[in-house]
Each structure stands twice: as structure tokens, then as C-alpha cells.
Amino acid sequence: MNFLRLCFFILVFIESTYSQTLKGTITDENGIVPFADIYLKVKNEIKQKGVANENGQYKFVLISPSDSLYIIASSPNHEVKKVLLKHYLHSKNIIEIDIKLEKKITLLKEVVIEKKTAITQKKDTLEYNPNSFKDGSEKVVEDLLKKLPGIKVEDNGQIKFKGKSIKKLLLDGDDLFDANYTIGSKNISINMIEKVQGIENFEENSLLKGIKDSDDVVLNLVLKKGETDYSGNTTLGYGIKERYYGLLSGVLVNKKIKAFGISSFNNVGQNNTPYDFSSEIISLENLKNQNLTSKSLLSEGNFNSLLDNNFHRLNQNFYTSLNTLNKVLSKSSLKINLGFYQDELSRLNESNSTIFSENETITINEVNRLKKRPKLIDVKIHFTNKEKDNFHWEYLGKLNQSKVNFNDYSSNNSLIQNNNVITNIFSTSQNLNSTLKISENKAMVTSLLFSTNKSPQNLTTNPPTTLDDLGFSLAANQKSEFQKRFFSVNNSYFISNKKIKYAIHSSFFDLKNNLFSNLLNQNNQSIGNEFKNENKYAVKNFSINPILVYNEKKYSFKIGLNAIYNNINFRDLTEKVKKEAYFIVPKLTLTYKINKNKNLNYNYTFNQILPEEDKLFSGIIQTGYRDFSSNEVSLEYLKTHSHTFSFNHHDIFNLTQFNLSLSYDYRPNNYFQKTIINQNITVSNRFFAKISNKDYGITVSGEKYIHPLRITFQFNSTFNISYDNNIINESDLREVKNENLTLNFVVRRGINKRFVIENKTFYLNSNFKVKKDNLNNNFQMLTNQTKILFKSKKMIKSNLVGNFISPNLKSNDNYFFLDYEIEFTPKNKNLTYSLIGKNLTNNKVFTTNSISSFSTNYSSHNLIERYVMFKLTFGF
């Protein structure tokens, strides 16, 4: 027994001797060094190994006597440091050693090369080193941003950073582009970019920093200092079948002027502009100012496609833009943005639609030869005065004029018609803002805005469209014009007190909306008041919106209660209505910060939305050669309860992201459609009813880089359930359930620094169910894109892209597109030669299938046929 006790005592003594804790922090001259490699060695044998965390901290429980151990700390960007443990004193069983690393510097023939980290964090700024993420296929900034973790680029060019839409794209800290930042992201050469910075909690107004609560995010492009006094890029290309491409861009930077200019022209489907006249995607500028823009009702053709623009967008595009920022006084600047755009788009569409109603099935065959010629002029002036330390003011003026000439040579169930739409849009905006900083924690902002907008449209059909079975009513000429005038005064008072920020926003606006429309026959005579509108819609609004924000280390909340008074006056050909309303719109945001990388968010809003002008005309308007539209006028408010719960994990240093979002919308009332369809025409009537609808949604997205395998995984999946109601022909009100599932997966892998392989997979499953009619329409689609990039040591790069597309998994209409590019850059790196092959499989027509709650549709459109192009790119 004594022997056993002695053995036990010896074991405990040995364990207590070896069970020492070694801990510390890894730093360098700039602060902490995250994720450094740590090794514990005895002579040349590794006993233990580990990695410091994101705060540079490490910790070991020693399994060997400390006197014989030495610690090695290393990082790709630092020199290796070796420390012998016995030289350090320790308290009881704890040894604490903080290690400071030196930056790794390589001397080569008197040239100092300092390796830069991929990502660094400085307070609210995350800084990317582009060279750590480029694979050689990037041409412009947008190509680079798509590769950076935490940044996403949407189809309309909108950029998101950590899940939030950016407010600005800055150029060396200056806002050169305003809302039209795609001018820069789509055209600035990556050769001009030194760094990309993502900035959170951004406050543009310097007098409000620390006073106003802001969760805005921006991106800042840091230019290469050695190249930006004056630098630029030019790409010229010409190919078979008279394909051409040209892009000239330049940057000028000095102490007083910062400027970016671009001119581009092509007929290969490229759109290097912030404008899009070939799809239903809303540009960022229009998205920002959509409440100030008047509506356009007449259709200008269907140019949409599932494919990328360079496969189907038959165009003849020219675009030029000049953006300058001038320091006119010591603390004042003048910014001018000028843009000119013109294009000629063409398309051949064919479609076959089957309409299911209660007692009949209708088949509609259409052929459309489309040509669209848009032309646009865009002018913006922005003067900022910051001469006084506590008072700043600014003026923003905008002018936009666009004209579209659209022609459609159509066949509607064998009826041949020549249809033409001319649209002229003219808008102006004047905005004056001032900021007064009252004290260190108080400020006041005042804003005046006046804007005008009109959008006259004219549709002619030849021969006219028949409106009734007997052929007595013929529609030959539809005239339509919306006019909008908006005036507003806003005042905001901000108070900040450590953890609490408080604001009171008061505003007044006066909105006037007019609509004039008339449908004429072939004799240029009005068909009747049933097809005529003379609407005057005016709204006077006053609101007071107090907002309270409270921030703690672990949680925060934001509460707003917007008290609103509306005075509505509406008049058309049949009635005159005046209506007043008082109500409160609450908004709540709760955030819980699990740690520096993880948080939980909950948002609730209750919206009461004014009727929009395109829902207030009762006279029938012809919107296309076979389409007509009208409304049952209601001045009721559209009400929506919206709930969103999200979990966000952004660990950029570990290149790991995960986002989960759940949404629920409840509408106690809504707008619904009653649609009458026959062989010749379609008439849609929108009506308002107190019938409730619900929407459910879940979004899961994430990104992970696995360094040992050099693989990046990205995924984005959504599932939505929505409920709607409609009436088709003589049916009763039908309840429609729509389920949509989308899956996006991206895998990217680098091999030996020469090969980069990327694969993108997209899957869509859409399902419509109509309970009463026992109708179930299902549609499934799959696309897969594979890119293989090869970089040789002899200044040659090649890029092979294959696209497999199955627009309908229930049919055999599958497509494969093959593109190839080989690029040679000689020792003079300012010059690059490229040979490009597009659509090498020579697909000429693309057919798709779509469904709705009452129809199935098979449609096809022509494509840009196979071509080969030679390109020359040079910098200056």
C-alpha cells in the first residue's frame, strides 16, 4: 500500500511539473498579428504546434519540461522568431511570453520587396491587397470585387459589403460618381488599383461624425501613387462578321483636380454603362430616385434573357462620360458628371403560350422583330462648401433627358402589325443641404428639394388593333403622358450622449402627379371616354419621426415612430375625391453581438404606402399591340407588416462567412389582377381589396476558403412561399400559391499558381398551385459554368469558359456555350495582345420555358453567332 502511495505521489509530482501553461500575444510594429503559426521544439523535434487566434493570442498546456523547450513564431509576412523558454520567469505553473515579430523584407539588388498581407483591419476599415486575390482573368474593378471575400456584385452592378448595399464607391477617399458608381466599377482598370477598402459605420458628413448613428458602408479604391498623376487604358478589338470593341479610360489626379473619363463602343453585347435599356433591371440612379421619377406605361419590347449579355445582346453601343472633382477653395469642391449614351438593340422573339381558364384553353402564337434606339444625356453638378468649421452647405443639380424610338414588327396569331413607340423623358432636380454643428454632441441638418419629371409616350399600330369581335372599334394611336412635380423641406436634429443617439426628423412634401392619355382610332379620333384619362393627383404630407438608438458592447436597439399626416386630392373624368389621414409607422431594430464576428438581428416595420399614380387611372390604356390595362381606383393605403430575423458570421481573416435570414410579410390588403384573354388581345384590370396575403422567405449564404487545399466554396440559396389572388376570364377569385427554390454554388481552386479552376452551378425550381382549379404548374432549370485559367511563365494566359444550360429539365433542349481567350503580354507590360473566340459552339437560337398561375410559355430568341476577335490593350 505504501508503495502504491509512493507511485501515485511521483505521478502527481511529474504531472504538476509538466502541466505548465504557456500563453502570450503575437504582435508587430502595427499591432496584433492574427493566425501566426506557433511551434514548440526540443532541438529539431517538434513537440507541439498551434495557431494564434484572430486577436494574436496563443496558449499551450506543456507536455515537456519547459527548460528544454524553445518556441518558434512565424507568419508569411514576418521573419521567424525563436525564443528559449528557460530565459523567462514564470509564476507558479504559468509562463507568459509576448512575441514581437519583424516584417519580412527581401533584399534583391538594392531593391526592397515587402510582402503585403491579404487583409488588414484598422478600426472600421477592412483593407484588401488585390494581388492576394487576383487570378489573372480580371480586367476592371468589378471583376476584382467579385473575388474579394465579403463583397458581392449584383446583376444591376449594385455592390454589397458584408451583406449591405454600399452607399458610395470612393476614389482615393473622394465621391466622384455618386449613385452612378458603376461608371467606375465597370470601367476602371485593375492596373490602377493599389488597395480596396471596405468601410463600415461610414458618415459622409464630417460634422455629424460621432453624433449621428450611421450603419452605412462604402468601398474606397486606393490608386497606385506612381501611376495616377495621369494614367489610362485603351482596348481596341476587331473580329470576323464586323464585330468591334473599343474602350478608352483615364484617371487624372493632382492637388486640385481628380477626374475619370471613359469612352466605349461595341457591338458584342457589352454594357459598360450605368444605364440598361435591354432588361427590366433598374439602374442604381433610378433605384435611388424612383420616388421622383414619373412612370412609363407603354411597353418597349422584351429583351430579357437567362443568358449573359455577351451571348444575346445584339447592340451598337456608344457611351462617353467625364467625371471631375475640383478643389475650388481651400475647403470647397465642385463636382461635375457628364454622360452621353446611345445604342441600337435588335432581337427576334418567337413564343407559344397556352392559357388555362375554367372552361377553355387558349393558344397564342407571336413573332416579334424588335429594334430599339435609346439616346440619353445626363448632367450633374455638385458644389460643396466647408469653409467654416461648424457650418457646411452643398448644392446638387441634375438634368436627365432620354429618348427611345422602339419598333416592333409583330405577328399576333398571324395578324401582321407594325408597332412603334416613342418615349421622351425629361427630368430635373435641385437639392440644397446645410449642416450646423451646434456643439460636440449636437447638430442640425436642413434640406430643400425640388424636382420635375415628365414622360410622354406615343404608340402607333398599323393596321390598328381590333377591340371587339365585330371589328367596329380599332385602336391605332395611344397617347400617354405622366407629369410629376415634387417639393420637400426636411429638418433633422441630432443629439449624442455616449451610448445613446437621438434624432428628430421633421419633413413636409408637396407632390403633384398628372396623367393625360387618349386612345385614337385610324381617323385620329378618340374612341371614347372609356379609353381616356385626365388625372390630377396631389398629396401634401407632414411627418415627425423621433428615433432613439442605444448601443452597448453586446447589444443595441433602434426605435422609430413616424407620425404622418396626409392630405390627398384626386380628380379624374368621373369623380373628385379629397381624403385626410393620420397614422403612425413604427420601426424596430434589435442587434445582439455574440462576438466581434457574429451577430443576431431582428427588424420589424409597419408600412402604410400611398397609392402610386400608375394604380389610379380608370380609363383603358393600350400598352402594347395586344395588351391593354386599367384600374379600379382606390385611395386606400397598402399596409404591410414585415419581420426579418438574421444571423451573420463574418470572419474575413479566416475567409469564412455565413448568413441566415428568415422573413415574413403580412398584408391585410393588396392589389389584385383581373385578366381577360382571347386570341387577339389581353385586358388587365387592377383592383384593390381587403384580402390578406402572406410571404415567407429563407436565405442561406456563405463562403469558406480552405488554405491547405487552395479551395474557395461559396453558396447562396433561397426558398420563398408567396400567396396571391387573381381572376382569369370568367373565373372566380382564385388563390394562388407560388414556391420558389434557388440554389447557387461556386467552387474555385488554384493549382501550382498556374491553373485556376472555377465552377458555378445554379438550380431553380418554381411551382404554382391554384387550389380551386386543381392546377399545378412546375418548372425546373439548371445551369453550370466552368472556367479554366492557365498562366505560363512566358507571359501567356489563356481562359477557357464552358456554359451548360438546361432551361427546362423536363425537356431535352440543352445548350452548351464555349468561349476561349488567349492573352500575351511582352516584356513591355503596357501592351497586351488577345485573341478571343465567343460562342464557338455557334448556337444561333435559345429556347426557354416559363410558367405562371394560368399559363405555360415556350419562347425563343436569336443569339450573337460565333465570332473570333483580336484585341490590343495598352496603358499610358
Side-chain angles (χ1 to χ4, degrees), residues 713-733:
F713 292 97
Q714 296 174 327
F715 64 91
N716 184 27
S717 305
T718 63
F719 179 67
N720 297 292
I721 300 175
S722 62
Y723 294 88
D724 195 6
N725 299 82
N726 60 32
I727 298 173
I728 305 299
N729 289 347
E730 300 302 322
S731 73
D732 295 327
L733 188 68

PDB file of all heavy atoms in Angstrom, residues 713-733:
ATOM      1  N   PHE A 713     -15.151  27.926 -51.372  1.00  0.00           N
ATOM      2  CA  PHE A 713     -16.531  27.492 -51.556  1.00  0.00           C
ATOM      3  C   PHE A 713     -17.444  28.683 -51.300  1.00  0.00           C
ATOM      4  O   PHE A 713     -17.285  29.401 -50.312  1.00  0.00           O
ATOM      5  CB  PHE A 713     -16.901  26.371 -50.584  1.00  0.00           C
ATOM      6  CG  PHE A 713     -16.193  25.071 -50.832  1.00  0.00           C
ATOM      7  CD1 PHE A 713     -15.056  24.746 -50.123  1.00  0.00           C
ATOM      8  CD2 PHE A 713     -16.662  24.181 -51.787  1.00  0.00           C
ATOM      9  CE1 PHE A 713     -14.392  23.552 -50.344  1.00  0.00           C
ATOM     10  CE2 PHE A 713     -16.014  22.977 -52.021  1.00  0.00           C
ATOM     11  CZ  PHE A 713     -14.875  22.663 -51.298  1.00  0.00           C
ATOM     12  N   GLN A 714     -18.419  28.887 -52.179  1.00  0.00           N
ATOM     13  CA  GLN A 714     -19.444  29.912 -51.997  1.00  0.00           C
ATOM     14  C   GLN A 714     -20.810  29.295 -52.289  1.00  0.00           C
ATOM     15  O   GLN A 714     -20.935  28.474 -53.202  1.00  0.00           O
ATOM     16  CB  GLN A 714     -19.220  31.103 -52.935  1.00  0.00           C
ATOM     17  CG  GLN A 714     -17.936  31.868 -52.686  1.00  0.00           C
ATOM     18  CD  GLN A 714     -17.695  32.940 -53.741  1.00  0.00           C
ATOM     19  OE1 GLN A 714     -18.055  32.780 -54.898  1.00  0.00           O
ATOM     20  NE2 GLN A 714     -17.067  34.029 -53.347  1.00  0.00           N
ATOM     21  N   PHE A 715     -21.807  29.691 -51.521  1.00  0.00           N
ATOM     22  CA  PHE A 715     -23.163  29.205 -51.791  1.00  0.00           C
ATOM     23  C   PHE A 715     -24.167  30.285 -51.423  1.00  0.00           C
ATOM     24  O   PHE A 715     -23.929  31.120 -50.551  1.00  0.00           O
ATOM     25  CB  PHE A 715     -23.456  27.905 -51.026  1.00  0.00           C
ATOM     26  CG  PHE A 715     -23.436  28.050 -49.529  1.00  0.00           C
ATOM     27  CD1 PHE A 715     -24.588  28.364 -48.824  1.00  0.00           C
ATOM     28  CD2 PHE A 715     -22.254  27.879 -48.818  1.00  0.00           C
ATOM     29  CE1 PHE A 715     -24.565  28.499 -47.444  1.00  0.00           C
ATOM     30  CE2 PHE A 715     -22.215  28.017 -47.437  1.00  0.00           C
ATOM     31  CZ  PHE A 715     -23.380  28.328 -46.744  1.00  0.00           C
ATOM     32  N   ASN A 716     -25.286  30.265 -52.108  1.00  0.00           N
ATOM     33  CA  ASN A 716     -26.381  31.203 -51.851  1.00  0.00           C
ATOM     34  C   ASN A 716     -27.671  30.504 -52.244  1.00  0.00           C
ATOM     35  O   ASN A 716     -27.870  30.166 -53.409  1.00  0.00           O
ATOM     36  CB  ASN A 716     -26.196  32.495 -52.642  1.00  0.00           C
ATOM     37  CG  ASN A 716     -27.262  33.517 -52.316  1.00  0.00           C
ATOM     38  OD1 ASN A 716     -27.809  33.510 -51.217  1.00  0.00           O
ATOM     39  ND2 ASN A 716     -27.578  34.387 -53.258  1.00  0.00           N
ATOM     40  N   SER A 717     -28.534  30.284 -51.276  1.00  0.00           N
ATOM     41  CA  SER A 717     -29.768  29.544 -51.525  1.00  0.00           C
ATOM     42  C   SER A 717     -30.946  30.325 -50.942  1.00  0.00           C
ATOM     43  O   SER A 717     -30.849  30.902 -49.861  1.00  0.00           O
ATOM     44  CB  SER A 717     -29.706  28.158 -50.870  1.00  0.00           C
ATOM     45  OG  SER A 717     -28.568  27.450 -51.302  1.00  0.00           O
ATOM     46  N   THR A 718     -32.050  30.309 -51.672  1.00  0.00           N
ATOM     47  CA  THR A 718     -33.263  30.975 -51.193  1.00  0.00           C
ATOM     48  C   THR A 718     -34.467  30.059 -51.396  1.00  0.00           C
ATOM     49  O   THR A 718     -34.525  29.284 -52.360  1.00  0.00           O
ATOM     50  CB  THR A 718     -33.528  32.296 -51.943  1.00  0.00           C
ATOM     51  OG1 THR A 718     -33.752  32.017 -53.341  1.00  0.00           O
ATOM     52  CG2 THR A 718     -32.361  33.246 -51.803  1.00  0.00           C
ATOM     53  N   PHE A 719     -35.400  30.160 -50.482  1.00  0.00           N
ATOM     54  CA  PHE A 719     -36.680  29.464 -50.630  1.00  0.00           C
ATOM     55  C   PHE A 719     -37.775  30.433 -50.209  1.00  0.00           C
ATOM     56  O   PHE A 719     -37.742  30.982 -49.106  1.00  0.00           O
ATOM     57  CB  PHE A 719     -36.738  28.202 -49.784  1.00  0.00           C
ATOM     58  CG  PHE A 719     -38.045  27.466 -49.896  1.00  0.00           C
ATOM     59  CD1 PHE A 719     -38.410  26.858 -51.085  1.00  0.00           C
ATOM     60  CD2 PHE A 719     -38.917  27.416 -48.816  1.00  0.00           C
ATOM     61  CE1 PHE A 719     -39.620  26.188 -51.206  1.00  0.00           C
ATOM     62  CE2 PHE A 719     -40.138  26.752 -48.924  1.00  0.00           C
ATOM     63  CZ  PHE A 719     -40.482  26.136 -50.122  1.00  0.00           C
ATOM     64  N   ASN A 720     -38.730  30.683 -51.107  1.00  0.00           N
ATOM     65  CA  ASN A 720     -39.802  31.639 -50.854  1.00  0.00           C
ATOM     66  C   ASN A 720     -41.159  31.008 -51.119  1.00  0.00           C
ATOM     67  O   ASN A 720     -41.329  30.254 -52.092  1.00  0.00           O
ATOM     68  CB  ASN A 720     -39.650  32.878 -51.750  1.00  0.00           C
ATOM     69  CG  ASN A 720     -38.378  33.637 -51.468  1.00  0.00           C
ATOM     70  OD1 ASN A 720     -38.223  34.232 -50.408  1.00  0.00           O
ATOM     71  ND2 ASN A 720     -37.446  33.603 -52.403  1.00  0.00           N
ATOM     72  N   ILE A 721     -42.097  31.333 -50.266  1.00  0.00           N
ATOM     73  CA  ILE A 721     -43.500  30.946 -50.461  1.00  0.00           C
ATOM     74  C   ILE A 721     -44.326  32.221 -50.436  1.00  0.00           C
ATOM     75  O   ILE A 721     -44.233  33.018 -49.491  1.00  0.00           O
ATOM     76  CB  ILE A 721     -43.986  29.996 -49.365  1.00  0.00           C
ATOM     77  CG1 ILE A 721     -43.148  28.717 -49.338  1.00  0.00           C
ATOM     78  CG2 ILE A 721     -45.451  29.642 -49.580  1.00  0.00           C
ATOM     79  CD1 ILE A 721     -43.510  27.774 -48.198  1.00  0.00           C
ATOM     80  N   SER A 722     -45.093  32.450 -51.480  1.00  0.00           N
ATOM     81  CA  SER A 722     -45.942  33.647 -51.540  1.00  0.00           C
ATOM     82  C   SER A 722     -47.354  33.251 -51.956  1.00  0.00           C
ATOM     83  O   SER A 722     -47.561  32.263 -52.676  1.00  0.00           O
ATOM     84  CB  SER A 722     -45.373  34.670 -52.526  1.00  0.00           C
ATOM     85  OG  SER A 722     -45.334  34.149 -53.830  1.00  0.00           O
ATOM     86  N   TYR A 723     -48.298  34.033 -51.474  1.00  0.00           N
ATOM     87  CA  TYR A 723     -49.709  33.797 -51.786  1.00  0.00           C
ATOM     88  C   TYR A 723     -50.276  35.020 -52.501  1.00  0.00           C
ATOM     89  O   TYR A 723     -49.984  36.159 -52.153  1.00  0.00           O
ATOM     90  CB  TYR A 723     -50.499  33.529 -50.510  1.00  0.00           C
ATOM     91  CG  TYR A 723     -50.108  32.248 -49.809  1.00  0.00           C
ATOM     92  CD1 TYR A 723     -49.078  32.240 -48.878  1.00  0.00           C
ATOM     93  CD2 TYR A 723     -50.761  31.046 -50.091  1.00  0.00           C
ATOM     94  CE1 TYR A 723     -48.710  31.067 -48.230  1.00  0.00           C
ATOM     95  CE2 TYR A 723     -50.404  29.873 -49.456  1.00  0.00           C
ATOM     96  CZ  TYR A 723     -49.375  29.888 -48.524  1.00  0.00           C
ATOM     97  OH  TYR A 723     -49.007  28.715 -47.894  1.00  0.00           O
ATOM     98  N   ASP A 724     -51.085  34.764 -53.511  1.00  0.00           N
ATOM     99  CA  ASP A 724     -51.687  35.839 -54.294  1.00  0.00           C
ATOM    100  C   ASP A 724     -53.089  35.401 -54.706  1.00  0.00           C
ATOM    101  O   ASP A 724     -53.481  34.244 -54.516  1.00  0.00           O
ATOM    102  CB  ASP A 724     -50.822  36.130 -55.521  1.00  0.00           C
ATOM    103  CG  ASP A 724     -51.168  37.463 -56.171  1.00  0.00           C
ATOM    104  OD1 ASP A 724     -51.994  38.203 -55.603  1.00  0.00           O
ATOM    105  OD2 ASP A 724     -50.616  37.764 -57.243  1.00  0.00           O
ATOM    106  N   ASN A 725     -53.837  36.335 -55.268  1.00  0.00           N
ATOM    107  CA  ASN A 725     -55.167  36.051 -55.788  1.00  0.00           C
ATOM    108  C   ASN A 725     -55.325  36.719 -57.139  1.00  0.00           C
ATOM    109  O   ASN A 725     -54.772  37.799 -57.373  1.00  0.00           O
ATOM    110  CB  ASN A 725     -56.257  36.565 -54.837  1.00  0.00           C
ATOM    111  CG  ASN A 725     -56.207  35.910 -53.467  1.00  0.00           C
ATOM    112  OD1 ASN A 725     -55.428  36.315 -52.618  1.00  0.00           O
ATOM    113  ND2 ASN A 725     -57.027  34.905 -53.252  1.00  0.00           N
ATOM    114  N   ASN A 726     -56.063  36.101 -58.042  1.00  0.00           N
ATOM    115  CA  ASN A 726     -56.341  36.721 -59.336  1.00  0.00           C
ATOM    116  C   ASN A 726     -57.618  36.146 -59.932  1.00  0.00           C
ATOM    117  O   ASN A 726     -58.190  35.155 -59.436  1.00  0.00           O
ATOM    118  CB  ASN A 726     -55.154  36.567 -60.300  1.00  0.00           C
ATOM    119  CG  ASN A 726     -54.803  35.111 -60.587  1.00  0.00           C
ATOM    120  OD1 ASN A 726     -55.671  34.243 -60.605  1.00  0.00           O
ATOM    121  ND2 ASN A 726     -53.530  34.844 -60.833  1.00  0.00           N
ATOM    122  N   ILE A 727     -58.053  36.805 -61.007  1.00  0.00           N
ATOM    123  CA  ILE A 727     -59.226  36.360 -61.764  1.00  0.00           C
ATOM    124  C   ILE A 727     -58.809  36.244 -63.218  1.00  0.00           C
ATOM    125  O   ILE A 727     -58.232  37.180 -63.780  1.00  0.00           O
ATOM    126  CB  ILE A 727     -60.397  37.358 -61.630  1.00  0.00           C
ATOM    127  CG1 ILE A 727     -60.842  37.479 -60.160  1.00  0.00           C
ATOM    128  CG2 ILE A 727     -61.572  36.937 -62.513  1.00  0.00           C
ATOM    129  CD1 ILE A 727     -61.876  38.563 -59.936  1.00  0.00           C
ATOM    130  N   ILE A 728     -59.075  35.100 -63.847  1.00  0.00           N
ATOM    131  CA  ILE A 728     -58.756  34.870 -65.247  1.00  0.00           C
ATOM    132  C   ILE A 728     -60.052  34.611 -66.009  1.00  0.00           C
ATOM    133  O   ILE A 728     -60.787  33.663 -65.690  1.00  0.00           O
ATOM    134  CB  ILE A 728     -57.793  33.676 -65.422  1.00  0.00           C
ATOM    135  CG1 ILE A 728     -56.520  33.888 -64.579  1.00  0.00           C
ATOM    136  CG2 ILE A 728     -57.438  33.490 -66.888  1.00  0.00           C
ATOM    137  CD1 ILE A 728     -55.727  35.107 -64.945  1.00  0.00           C
ATOM    138  N   ASN A 729     -60.327  35.466 -66.992  1.00  0.00           N
ATOM    139  CA  ASN A 729     -61.559  35.389 -67.786  1.00  0.00           C
ATOM    140  C   ASN A 729     -62.777  35.344 -66.871  1.00  0.00           C
ATOM    141  O   ASN A 729     -62.978  36.247 -66.081  1.00  0.00           O
ATOM    142  CB  ASN A 729     -61.479  34.225 -68.762  1.00  0.00           C
ATOM    143  CG  ASN A 729     -60.487  34.518 -69.886  1.00  0.00           C
ATOM    144  OD1 ASN A 729     -60.041  35.652 -70.074  1.00  0.00           O
ATOM    145  ND2 ASN A 729     -60.119  33.494 -70.647  1.00  0.00           N
ATOM    146  N   GLU A 730     -63.564  34.293 -66.918  1.00  0.00           N
ATOM    147  CA  GLU A 730     -64.820  34.254 -66.152  1.00  0.00           C
ATOM    148  C   GLU A 730     -64.674  33.524 -64.827  1.00  0.00           C
ATOM    149  O   GLU A 730     -65.681  33.160 -64.208  1.00  0.00           O
ATOM    150  CB  GLU A 730     -65.911  33.577 -66.990  1.00  0.00           C
ATOM    151  CG  GLU A 730     -66.217  34.264 -68.306  1.00  0.00           C
ATOM    152  CD  GLU A 730     -66.658  35.709 -68.114  1.00  0.00           C
ATOM    153  OE1 GLU A 730     -67.396  35.971 -67.138  1.00  0.00           O
ATOM    154  OE2 GLU A 730     -66.278  36.566 -68.927  1.00  0.00           O
ATOM    155  N   SER A 731     -63.465  33.312 -64.366  1.00  0.00           N
ATOM    156  CA  SER A 731     -63.278  32.563 -63.117  1.00  0.00           C
ATOM    157  C   SER A 731     -63.650  33.405 -61.907  1.00  0.00           C
ATOM    158  O   SER A 731     -63.756  34.634 -61.980  1.00  0.00           O
ATOM    159  CB  SER A 731     -61.825  32.104 -62.994  1.00  0.00           C
ATOM    160  OG  SER A 731     -60.985  33.201 -62.680  1.00  0.00           O
ATOM    161  N   ASP A 732     -63.837  32.720 -60.771  1.00  0.00           N
ATOM    162  CA  ASP A 732     -63.963  33.411 -59.503  1.00  0.00           C
ATOM    163  C   ASP A 732     -62.564  33.827 -59.048  1.00  0.00           C
ATOM    164  O   ASP A 732     -61.565  33.525 -59.709  1.00  0.00           O
ATOM    165  CB  ASP A 732     -64.612  32.491 -58.464  1.00  0.00           C
ATOM    166  CG  ASP A 732     -66.049  32.126 -58.833  1.00  0.00           C
ATOM    167  OD1 ASP A 732     -66.725  32.978 -59.441  1.00  0.00           O
ATOM    168  OD2 ASP A 732     -66.472  30.992 -58.517  1.00  0.00           O
ATOM    169  N   LEU A 733     -62.521  34.509 -57.921  1.00  0.00           N
ATOM    170  CA  LEU A 733     -61.221  34.887 -57.371  1.00  0.00           C
ATOM    171  C   LEU A 733     -60.460  33.629 -56.968  1.00  0.00           C
ATOM    172  O   LEU A 733     -60.941  32.835 -56.152  1.00  0.00           O
ATOM    173  CB  LEU A 733     -61.408  35.812 -56.168  1.00  0.00           C
ATOM    174  CG  LEU A 733     -60.134  36.448 -55.606  1.00  0.00           C
ATOM    175  CD1 LEU A 733     -59.546  37.445 -56.595  1.00  0.00           C
ATOM    176  CD2 LEU A 733     -60.420  37.142 -54.273  1.00  0.00           C
TER     177      LEU A 733
END
